[in-house]
Amino acid sequence: MAAKIAAFRSNIPEREDLLSTKLTIETDKDSGICVVRISGALRSGADDAYVQSKVQDIKAMGCTRLMLDIRELHSTGSSGMGFFVGLYTSLTRAGGRMVVACPSKLVREVLDLTRLSTVIPIVDDLAAARAFLAD
């Protein structure tokens, strides 16, 4: 376990890199699938008002199938995990489905360490995400 933690820490970017990475959340609807693209860093201290407004935008889209495209998400922490869990819980309670697509190695390690990868479906490419959400 200590080796896993040491390997995980060695992959964490320098603090200045994390702080300078601006969070962007874009929403779109494509062929009945709501696509949420997240880039930057989704960590504690992120603009909570911005994140909450984006959550409301996503809910207003009336999504039943949601793909989180996180190719450009460089780092995440408990705030990001809360964001993922909140969307997943809301969607599945309403009978919908969600998939996380294209996590970076660092973000995948966070998902694995928190065991969210055992609950929320995660795929390595957008085609697999679309296939997962296909009717």
Side-chain angles (χ1 to χ4, degrees), residues 9 38 89:
R9 286 186 178 152
I38 305 172
T89 302

Side-chain angles (χ1 to χ4, degrees), residues 38-122:
I38 305 172
S39 61
L42 184 53
R43 305 181 63 79
S44 295
D47 185 350
D48 289 336
Y50 174 73
V51 172
Q52 287 306 312
S53 74
K54 291 301 180 176
V55 168
Q56 294 309 315
D57 290 349
I58 294 164
K59 288 180 179 181
M61 292 172 73
C63 301
T64 58
R65 297 180 294 158
L66 181 97
M67 175 177 36
L68 282 181
D69 176 355
I70 61 171
R71 289 177 287 180
E72 300 297 320
L73 180 63
H74 305 295
S75 64
T76 189
S78 60
S79 294
M81 297 301 100
F83 179 77
F84 294 166
V85 169
L87 286 177
Y88 180 77
T89 302
S90 294
L91 223 66
T92 56
R93 283 186 180 159
R97 293 179 290 174
M98 183 180 108
V99 64
V100 173
C102 311
S104 67
K105 183 179 177 184
L106 177 62
V107 173
R108 179 63 190 233
E109 287 176 358
V110 172
L111 291 165
D112 289 343
L113 283 171
T114 59
R115 300 190 47 99
L116 282 179
S117 59
T118 65
V119 178
I120 300 173
I122 301 170

